[in-house]
Amino acid sequence: MHVLITAGATGIGRTIADEFLSKGWQVHVCDVAEQAVAEWTAGGPGRHGYVADAADARHVDDVFDRLAAVTPTLDALVNNVGIAGPTAPVESIEPADWDRTVAVDLSAHFYSARRAIPMLKRNGGGSIVSIASNAALFGLPLRAPYVASKWALIGLTKTLAMELGPFNIRANAICPGSVRGPRIDGVIEREARWRGLSPDVVRHAYERQSSMRCFVDAADVAQLAAFLCDPRGARISGQAIAVDGHTETLGDLTEFL
């Protein structure tokens, strides 16, 4: 079975790629990080890598052209690519930062899906999984481009599920909470600077937004992605599934500070 994972050579994507590899899949990753892609492909059999910016439709077309030379069909697409975007009130966000966040967090998912769908149809079915965020289920001050993109991604996912269901192709979105790692560390540091607080105070407030008072591990996301793409998830489609210890609110942090 073949899966393509965008931004799959680094971060959460790398953990997802490792999870699929451990289950015997042929794993294709594309990533802007050239060295990470080289390290991934050199790691052993079943690994395929492509250097590409998933937010550039021309790069995505090139990836799928090269992928088609390896396999005419695809069993799964994991749209993992995403960036945090700026941390600022709306009136302080530069249009270029808005455009880049929407390009990576939304348009990139469309570019890959439109090319994957014919391969999934030739396969007789399959799965598209998009990594969204629990910010797609709430409002979130200071993160407007990110939140808007993730809400739109849920709409895209549900539309894909409706269009593709008759072809035995399911589409779902995973909505993680704060995932441990450099990306959330950067978000916390930027918000702490904006609020004039220490990063530890803001981190603690983030944790308290979850009923389980926890952040998420990348492995939590990877295991669910693999589940949704194998026969155990054969009847799950059109869902936005939170993996976040049950977030109670993503509104104003004031009550948690």
Side-chain angles (χ1 to χ4, degrees), residues 19-108:
E19 180 70 19
F20 276 87
L21 193 69
S22 73
K23 297 184 180 304
W25 289 63
Q26 293 288 313
V27 180
H28 304 256
V29 305
C30 70
D31 204 296
V32 292
E34 184 173 358
Q35 183 61 37
V37 171
E39 291 173 357
W40 162 258
T41 54
R47 302 164 181 252
H48 312 267
Y50 315 95
V51 178
D53 178 357
D56 186 322
R58 295 166 300 178
H59 284 212
V60 173
D61 285 343
D62 180 66
V63 167
F64 276 89
D65 290 345
R66 295 170 63 190
L67 176 61
V70 179
T71 174
T73 63
L74 192 64
D75 297 272
L77 167 68
V78 179
N79 260 327
N80 165 71
V81 66
I83 58 174
T87 300
V90 168
E91 68 270 22
S92 299
I93 294 172
E94 293 295 329
D97 291 333
W98 171 277
D99 290 345
R100 180 58 181 169
T101 306
V102 173
V104 176
D105 290 357
L106 177 61
S107 297

Side-chain angles (χ1 to χ4, degrees), residues 101-119:
T101 306
V102 173
V104 176
D105 290 357
L106 177 61
S107 297
H109 291 243
F110 161 71
Y111 298 148
S112 292
R114 66 179 290 272
R115 289 299 305 267
I117 287 167
M119 299 182 74

Side-chain angles (χ1 to χ4, degrees), residues 132-152 154 175-178 206 208-211 240-253 255-256:
S133 168
N134 64 353
L137 309 173
F138 299 88
L140 182 56
L142 307 181
R143 303 288 303 284
Y146 180 82
V147 173
S149 299
K150 297 300 186 178
W151 274 70
I154 301 303
C175 300
S178 298
Y206 276 32
R208 291 185 61 206
Q209 290 178 320
S210 164
S211 297
I241 305 172
V243 182
D244 61 354
H246 181 238
T247 297
E248 298 172 9
T249 177
L250 278 180
D252 192 347
L253 283 182
E255 63 182 292
F256 298 105

